[in-house]
Amino acid sequence: MSISFAEIQASRPGSFSVACPTRTVLDHVMSRWGVLVLCALSNGTRRWSELRREVDGISEKMLASTLRTLTSDGIVARAALATVPPHVEYRLTDTGRELMERMLPLIEWISANADDIVGDVENADAVVY
């Protein structure tokens, strides 16, 4: 690792404290649905129905809430198109693309290691001490 969490906190005193906006951003971006919606949008512009299908298991209410939050954070852009019938498209903003450039390596690592990690947890639960 090129930088430690302690170095980040030292360079920005108060970062990640209770009242710091960093906690809000972490909550929005790193929530289960936030991550999955952002990953879907990293593949390009999506309509509502495409996101609903691509983010398996998300309810309409949760998708709406997540998109509203990420849009208000300036990470996702929403475009209502005046077509017949009208539809809405979502895409990553420049900030969202920059975020995903950093997040996708973590997502790749999780994908490559999830089975081993979950398997280790399940095996550890079976061990009697």
Side-chain angles (χ1 to χ4, degrees):
M1 234 184 252
S2 60
I3 190 166
S4 71
F5 188 62
E7 290 171 322
I8 293 168
Q9 289 180 307
S11 70
R12 289 183 163 74
S15 287
F16 303 98
S17 64
V18 173
C20 184
T22 54
R23 294 255 185 126
T24 302
V25 173
L26 278 174
D27 182 44
H28 295 175
V29 171
M30 300 306 290
S31 69
R32 170 178 39 171
W33 300 121
V35 167
L36 294 173
V37 167
L38 290 169
C39 285
L41 290 172
S42 72
N43 294 323
T45 301
R46 295 285 186 267
R47 291 176 63 175
W48 169 273
S49 57
E50 292 171 314
L51 283 170
R52 181 83 164 82
R53 282 190 302 274
E54 206 166 324
V55 183
D56 190 32
I58 193 168
S59 69
E60 288 186 16
K61 180 179 177 182
M62 201 57 179
L63 179 57
S65 175
T66 301
L67 286 168
R68 193 170 24 258
T69 298
L70 294 172
T71 299
S72 70
D73 289 342
I75 297 169
V76 170
R78 177 185 187 274
L81 304 174
T83 59
V84 177
H87 70 269
V88 177
E89 293 181 344
Y90 297 90
R91 65 172 178 76
L92 294 175
T93 62
D94 291 342
T95 301
R97 282 190 296 278
E98 184 180 347
L99 168 66
M100 292 311 293
E101 285 175 11
R102 289 162 170 74
M103 193 184 305
L104 283 172
L106 172 61
I107 299 302
E108 179 183 34
W109 184 90
I110 290 169
S111 178
N113 293 283
D115 289 339
D116 293 337
I117 293 168
V118 172
D120 289 345
V121 170
E122 290 171 356
N123 292 335
D125 289 344
V127 175
V128 177
Y129 292 95

